[in-house]
């Protein structure tokens, strides 16, 4: 057979038709495969395509554009299809498991998580997952075979590939940045971009389209009406008067004659990894109370429920809210401020306490690079940050450094400081997974009774054991500081509820929620899965402060400052007003002082919440107008020159 008898050799039209047809069919099939993996069901995927043909076509266009871009780089149509299949399949698997574990899809900004990224490999255990993987591998094998057989017959010039690459990249950027022609296509297809519920957004519009449209949400949008004049007005309102409920400052007395401590107290925040009260599961019972210290303190000291912006993960976002007094509610869903928005100095509790003569220290028993804490804590105004590397031969309990170690570190840091200390401690011991019933050397001493599968029962017993160790560490701190000769104040809370099975499996079995799909939850169920307990304790008689049954993590700092009689400033001054009118404020849910739940801001509080949004924008990404009108040194405090030289040192003495 001579070369001219080959149908794809020397016939430019035939070759172009073949390549075009291959790209078109591959784009359609790749989009189907992505949705099959992402949704977990081929039947559900086909049903979605039937109901949303125009939206599916946009997903195929985006997938096809990615494929063409790979083709422009690689030069082989078959290897390009294989590369696109691998990349898009990984995206789909990450989206599937992230949605099942924490109720959030895969976002563009997740790509910058680097080491914090999700490793889905260990989760490949189900038959459906292995079937999908087998289909991908067979497809890749076939593509490699075709590449070897037909490579020389399907070569195109660099110029053609360059044009294709530029065109495909332009299409992707057009949808990501929402230029006019792409925006028109999206509107004509009937796309409803549900920003407030990203899971619904992905379910309705498909992974590839929803992911691409979210590119425009990487940055926080400017609030309508934001200006220097608006911030000046807000500043005057914040500085007009102190909160009516403020308790006496240190060394003064209140109206009843009760004296406040003469020395400023040590202030210790403890954010306990995945700490929650498992006895709230009404359909199960425990052989003993796993968290007796929590329950005892709840009876004797101010306590309540803290609304977390997260479920099952995203610890740094809760940390961000507490430390800065700012809210995740005004940011793109799924964003990570520590990685996206903390690029310069940001006023926080650390810089506030430093401005009042305190030493500030962050402690975390895990790697300092995680969530970029090493750099973020510097930008938040901490004097130092002690990560896992700061502990000498620490005791491990299970997979991570024990909570007992972090309690000892807190005691050590308080004792070695001549000045009052502000400490923000984050534990790690009770981090997921909870699937290994032999995780702890001592075994699981808490037995669970209830209508649960064996796997769910083992998981709950392991979690309860970890929660008990956290509870013991809290008791150790209370016992020590009860006999301490310096005033000390402790606030203890969890960052989020634990992930206990895919699609909220254990929570469904225990009757905590009725469905594994967040879109089907009632407001009460949604609140329950965002509610962690908080308790406060002090070794001095604090004045009776306003009791708050439910409070968002973004208002916790303002609440503590009010309790201590330390006048809140800047964003904490606004937070002091907010928790009295809208104590619960997270995405998709607000709670008023009477405990009424709503998806909208309570009547009469709209202006205050809008001021909160504007102030947050001004601090994080705006022009910092507030600093020109509010005389609060912590608002303009630069990172400390001696960061990590005085506080976060190894315990060698």
């Amino acid at each position: 057979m001579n070369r001219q008898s080959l149908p794809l050799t020397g016939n430019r039209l035939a070759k172009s038709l073949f390549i075009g047809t291959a790209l078109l069919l591959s784009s359609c099939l790749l989009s189907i495969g992505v949705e099959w993996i992402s949704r977990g069901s081929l039947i559900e995927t086909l049903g979605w395509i039937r109901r949303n043909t125009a939206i599916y076509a946009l997903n195929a266009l985006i997938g096809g554009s990615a494929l063409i871009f790979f083709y422009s780089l690689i030069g082989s149509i078959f290897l390009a299809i294989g590369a696109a299949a691998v990349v898009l399949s990984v995206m789909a698997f990450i989206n599937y498991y992230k949605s099942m574990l924490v109720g959030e899809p895969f976002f563009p900004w997740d790509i910058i998580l680097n080491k914090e990224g999700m490793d889905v490999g260990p989760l490949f255990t189900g038959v459906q997952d292995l079937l999908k993987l087998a289909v991908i591998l067979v497809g890749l094998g076939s593509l490699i075979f075709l590449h070897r057989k037909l490579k020389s017959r399907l070569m195109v010039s660099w110029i053609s590939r360059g044009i294709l690459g530029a065109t495909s990249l332009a299409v992707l950027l057009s949808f990501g940045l929402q230029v006019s022609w792409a925006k028109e296509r999206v509107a004509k297809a009937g796309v409803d971009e549900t920003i407030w519920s990203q899971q619904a957004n992905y379910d309705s519009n498909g992974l590839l389209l929803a992911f691409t449209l979210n590119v425009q949400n990487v940055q926080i949008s400017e609030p309508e009406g934001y200006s220097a004049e608006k911030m000046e007005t807000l500043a005057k309102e914040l500085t007009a008067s102190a909160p009516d409920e403020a308790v006496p400052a240190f060394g003064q007395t209140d109206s009843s004659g009760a004296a406040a401590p003469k020395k400023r107290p040590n202030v210790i925040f403890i954010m306990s990894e995945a700490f929650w009260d498992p006895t709230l599961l009404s359909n199960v019972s425990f052989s003993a109370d796993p968290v007796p210290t929590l329950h005892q303190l709840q009876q004797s000291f101010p306590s309540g429920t803290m609304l977390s912006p997260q479920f099952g993960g995203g610890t740094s976002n809760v940390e961000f809210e507490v430390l800065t007094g700012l809210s995740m509610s005004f940011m793109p869903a799924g964003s990570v401020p520590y990685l996206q928005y903390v690029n310069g100095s940001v006023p926080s509790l650390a810089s506030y306490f430093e401005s009042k003569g305190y030493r500030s220290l962050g402690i975390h028993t895990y790697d300092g690079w995680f969530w970029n804490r090493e750099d973020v804590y510097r930008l938040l105004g901490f004097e130092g940050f002690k990560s896992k590397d700061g502990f000498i031969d620490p005791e491990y309990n299970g997979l991570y450094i024990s909570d007992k170690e972090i309690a000892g570190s807190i005691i050590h840091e308080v004792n070695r400081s001549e000045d009052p200390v502000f400490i923000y401690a984050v534990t790690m011991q009770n981090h997921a997974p909870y699937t290994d019933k032999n995780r702890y050397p001592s075994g699981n001493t808490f037995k669970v009774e209830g209508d649960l599968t064996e796997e769910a029962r083992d998981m709950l017993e392991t979690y309860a054991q970890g929660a008990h160790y956290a509870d013991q560490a809290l008791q150790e701190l209370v016992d020590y500081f009860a006999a301490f000769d310096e005033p000390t104040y402790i606030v203890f809370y969890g960052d989020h509820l634990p992930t206990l099975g895919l699609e909220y499996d254990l929570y469904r079995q225990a009757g905590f929620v009725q469905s594994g799909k967040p879109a089907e939850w009632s407001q009460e169920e949604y609140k329950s899965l965002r509610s962690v307990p908080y308790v406060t304790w002090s070794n001095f008689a604090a004045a009776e402060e306003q009791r708050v049954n439910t409070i968002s993590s973004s208002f916790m700092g303002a609440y503590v400052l009010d309790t201590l009689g330390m006048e809140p400033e800047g964003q904490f001054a606004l937070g002091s007003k907010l928790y009295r009118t809208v104590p619960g404020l997270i995405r998709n849910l607000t709670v008023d002082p009477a405990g009424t739940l709503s998806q909208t801001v309570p009547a009469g509080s709209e202006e205050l919440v809008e001021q909160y949004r504007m102030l947050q924008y001004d601090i994080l990404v705006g022009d910092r107008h507030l600093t020109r009108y509010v005389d609060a040194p912590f608002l303009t405090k630069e990172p400390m020159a001696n960061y990590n030289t005085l506080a976060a040192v190894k315990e060698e003495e």
Side-chain angles (χ1 to χ4, degrees):
M1 180 181 294
N2 58 45
R3 289 179 60 84
Q4 290 189 354
S5 64
L6 294 174
L8 296 178
T9 302
N11 189 329
R12 184 173 299 177
L13 178 59
K15 184 165 61 175
S16 299
L17 287 174
F18 180 86
I19 293 174
T21 302
L23 290 173
L24 178 61
L25 290 177
S26 297
S27 301
C28 294
L29 291 175
L30 281 174
S31 298
I32 293 174
V34 164
E35 290 303 316
W36 177 26
I37 296 172
S38 184
R39 295 173 186 272
S41 168
L42 182 58
I43 294 176
E44 182 180 339
T45 297
L46 295 176
W48 171 77
I49 292 173
R50 186 178 63 254
R51 296 188 303 271
N52 303 278
T53 305
I55 294 177
Y56 162 70
L58 290 180
N59 278 265
L61 175 60
I62 292 171
S65 297
L67 168 56
I68 292 172
F69 184 72
F70 279 113
Y71 177 51
S72 71
L73 296 177
I74 298 172
S76 167
I77 182 65
F78 301 113
L79 293 186
I81 294 171
V86 169
V87 171
L88 297 181
S89 294
V90 169
M91 281 183 58
F93 274 117
I94 292 175
N95 183 68
Y96 174 74
Y97 281 110
K98 189 184 176 195
S99 297
M100 292 302 101
L101 289 171
V102 300
E104 289 185 345
F106 181 49
F107 298 109
W109 40 91
D110 287 334
I111 296 173
I112 65 174
L113 299 186
N114 298 323
K115 294 180 181 178
E116 297 89 340
M118 185 176 180
D119 180 10
V120 301
L123 301 175
F124 278 80
T125 56
V127 175
Q128 287 292 324
D129 291 337
L130 295 177
L131 175 60
K132 295 167 189 173
L133 190 58
V135 171
I136 293 171
L137 292 176
V138 170
L140 290 176
S142 301
L143 290 167
I144 292 173
F145 174 79
L146 290 171
H147 167 72
R148 290 179 175 176
K149 288 291 185 181
L150 300 174
K151 176 183 178 182
S152 63
R153 311 178 196 182
L154 295 174
M155 297 295 291
V156 296
S157 68
W158 276 100
I159 295 177
S160 298
R161 286 164 55 186
I163 295 173
L164 288 173
T167 302
S168 63
L169 189 59
V171 170
L172 292 173
L173 289 175
S174 295
F175 279 94
L177 302 178
Q178 284 291 275
V179 300
S180 57
W181 76 266
K183 198 169 186 177
E184 289 176 6
R185 301 286 83 72
V186 168
K188 288 183 178 179
V191 171
D192 181 13
E193 192 179 2
T194 314
I195 300 298
W196 62 269
S197 176
Q198 287 285 1
Q199 194 60 63
N201 184 27
Y202 278 60
D203 288 344
S204 300
N205 301 318
L207 169 59
L208 297 181
L209 179 59
F211 182 90
T212 305
L213 293 178
N214 262 314
V215 169
Q216 65 179 325
N217 297 321
V218 170
Q219 294 297 326
I220 303 172
S221 59
E222 180 177 310
E224 184 177 354
Y226 171 69
S227 65
E229 291 74 19
K230 283 287 184 68
M231 295 309 301
E232 182 180 12
T233 300
L234 173 58
K236 290 178 180 178
E237 293 179 8
L238 293 179
T239 57
S241 61
D244 294 338
E245 294 84 357
V247 300
F250 299 101
Q252 299 178 357
T253 58
D254 63 13
S255 57
S256 65
K262 293 183 178 181
K263 182 179 180 180
R264 293 192 183 278
N266 301 300
V267 180
I268 302 168
F269 280 64
I270 304 169
M271 187 168 72
S272 183
E273 171 60 39
F275 186 84
W276 178 65
D277 184 356
T279 65
L280 294 175
L281 297 171
S282 58
N283 292 354
V284 300
S285 60
F286 294 84
S287 57
D289 185 357
V291 287
T293 304
L294 171 70
H295 292 150
Q296 180 184 2
L297 293 179
Q298 285 175 331
Q299 296 299 316
S300 307
F301 290 88
S303 60
T305 292
M306 187 181 83
L307 281 185
S308 170
Q310 302 294 138
F311 171 86
T315 297
S316 72
N317 287 354
V318 188
E319 193 174 321
F320 169 82
E321 286 206 340
V322 175
L323 282 170
T324 66
L326 307 178
S327 176
M328 296 298 302
S329 302
F330 307 133
M331 299 182 190
S335 57
V336 182
Y338 274 17
L339 301 175
Q340 294 173 257
Y341 309 124
V342 184
N343 302 313
S345 61
V346 175
S348 74
L349 286 175
S351 52
Y352 174 89
F353 279 102
E354 283 281 351
S355 72
K356 304 299 181 183
Y358 279 69
R359 292 178 60 243
S360 60
L361 172 66
I363 304 176
H364 186 29
T365 47
Y366 199 57
D367 295 301
W369 53 256
F370 205 79
W371 297 123
N372 197 31
R373 282 191 178 93
E374 286 175 333
D375 193 46
V376 166
Y377 273 43
R378 179 182 67 86
L379 295 173
L380 293 181
F382 278 91
E383 182 176 329
F385 171 53
K386 182 163 69 176
S387 64
K388 181 175 69 175
D389 294 337
F391 291 80
I392 298 296
D393 297 324
E395 173 189 281
Y396 278 70
N397 192 4
L399 303 174
Y400 305 102
I401 293 176
S402 71
D403 285 1
K404 184 177 181 181
E405 284 281 350
I406 208 167
S409 184
I410 290 171
I411 292 171
H412 171 81
E413 293 295 343
V414 171
N415 274 315
R416 76 188 190 93
S417 177
E418 296 182 359
D419 298 317
V421 179
F422 166 69
I423 293 177
Y424 196 91
V426 183
T427 74
M428 190 68 180
Q429 180 182 280
N430 202 26
H431 196 284
Y434 314 104
T435 51
D436 182 5
K437 65 180 180 181
N438 299 313
R439 169 173 173 164
Y440 296 107
S442 62
N444 294 335
T445 59
F446 298 92
K447 302 303 177 184
V448 172
E449 295 293 335
D451 188 17
L452 302 176
T453 63
E454 182 178 357
E455 179 183 9
R457 182 178 292 105
D458 290 343
M459 190 185 310
L460 184 55
E461 289 176 353
T462 299
Y463 173 77
Q465 188 67 46
H468 179 66
Y469 288 132
D471 189 82
Q472 284 183 322
L474 174 60
Q475 185 64 60
E476 181 179 337
L477 286 170
V478 168
D479 290 343
Y480 181 86
F481 286 111
F484 198 56
D485 61 359
E486 295 180 5
T488 301
Y489 180 91
I490 296 174
V491 55
F492 177 92
Y493 50 91
D495 52 353
H496 52 69
L497 271 71
T499 298
L500 298 173
L502 295 177
E503 294 186 290
Y504 309 89
D505 182 54
L506 190 145
Y507 295 103
R508 285 187 289 118
Q509 291 188 42
F512 203 63
V513 294
Q514 300 304 310
S515 170
K517 296 183 179 298
E520 298 175 359
W521 293 344
S522 66
Q523 289 182 341
E524 288 76 13
E525 288 175 320
Y526 182 79
K527 178 178 181 291
S528 295
L529 284 174
R530 291 293 189 277
S531 297
V532 293
Y534 82 86
V535 292
T536 65
W537 176 90
S538 63
N539 60 3
F540 58 91
E544 184 73 10
E545 77 281 8
Q546 178 172 324
R547 301 248 173 171
V548 182
N549 294 325
T550 298
I551 188 170
S552 286
S553 54
S554 57
F555 303 145
M556 184 60 72
Y559 174 70
V560 169
L561 294 180
D562 280 342
T563 301
L564 296 175
M566 302 179 71
E567 183 177 345
E569 299 170 337
Q571 68 266 39
F572 300 111
L574 185 56
S576 181
K577 290 184 175 184
L578 279 159
Y579 79 72
R580 291 174 167 83
T581 56
V582 194
L585 179 64
I586 59 175
R587 195 182 311 277
N588 303 334
L589 182 71
T590 61
V591 184
D592 69 11
T596 304
L597 308 184
S598 175
Q599 285 190 331
T600 59
V601 177
S605 300
E606 297 91 344
E607 182 179 355
L608 197 59
V609 171
E610 192 56 34
Q611 288 179 333
Y612 188 26
R613 182 195 301 272
M614 197 169 294
L615 179 145
Q616 175 165 311
Y617 179 85
D618 185 67
I619 288 176
L620 275 187
V621 295
D623 297 321
R624 295 285 181 99
H625 296 303
L626 186 71
T627 61
R628 295 199 289 271
Y629 307 116
V630 174
D631 183 19
F634 91 103
L635 289 175
T636 56
K637 192 173 181 62
E638 291 298 318
M640 300 186 65
N642 61 349
Y643 174 71
N644 258 0
T645 60
L646 298 177
V649 298
K650 295 185 177 182
E651 299 174 2
E652 296 175 342
E653 57 259 55

